[in-house]
Amino acid sequence: MEQEIPLADFVVEMKPPRSTVGFYADARVFENSIGREGQRLFRIVRPGGENVFLKHGPRERAEILGNEVSRCAWAWGKIPTPRVVDFSVGPLGAFFLMGEMPGSPSHLCRHPVVEIARLLREGLGCLASVPIAGCPFDMSLEG
């Protein structure tokens, strides 16, 4: 679920990094309350520009968010994944600014079960086709 919040309130409360300020001019900001896991997620709707998402986590979770940034950057161009726009860690926590992915949130999906199964099969096939040679992330049992 999303709730729109006034842009001024967002900027005052979140104090986003200077490197991302240009993404907020004349934007509408929506906070997503689903799947937060100790982080906050905002959808930034920019008139005439690329919509982006800002994920914010406390400093204690900066490494976890940084790992997500690294994986997105590595996967970019190999599988559908958000484009990394900016990542920074400061006194107010970690900020990950990412491009918007096409599609709809899964909780809004109204497809028949057979169609969902086909889409999942297609997505898993896409993941399985990514060459792992050169992948810097070792999650193997031996590693």
Side-chain angles (χ1 to χ4, degrees), residues 50-106:
E50 174 192 17
N51 294 338
V52 292
F53 283 84
L54 177 70
K55 189 179 275 193
H56 171 262
R59 285 183 62 92
E60 304 81 53
R61 297 184 59 89
E63 182 178 356
I64 293 168
L65 203 52
N67 289 339
E68 182 179 347
V69 170
S70 297
R71 285 176 173 77
C72 284
W74 181 82
W76 177 252
K78 297 174 181 66
I79 58 172
T81 190
R83 179 177 66 86
V84 174
V85 176
D86 189 72
F87 177 67
S88 62
V89 180
L92 298 175
F95 295 85
F96 173 20
L97 189 67
M98 65 190 100
E100 182 177 50
M101 295 280 296
S104 300
S106 60

Side-chain angles (χ1 to χ4, degrees), residues 38-56:
Q39 301 172 2
R40 295 176 74 184
L41 180 65
F42 301 91
R43 183 168 61 101
I44 315 296
V45 178
R46 303 169 60 215
E50 174 192 17
N51 294 338
V52 292
F53 283 84
L54 177 70
K55 189 179 275 193
H56 171 262

Side-chain angles (χ1 to χ4, degrees), residues 98-121:
M98 65 190 100
E100 182 177 50
M101 295 280 296
S104 300
S106 60
H107 70 280
L108 298 177
C109 180
R110 301 292 182 251
H111 293 293
V113 173
V114 172
E115 178 67 6
I116 292 171
R118 186 191 67 75
L119 291 169
L120 288 170
R121 185 184 72 235

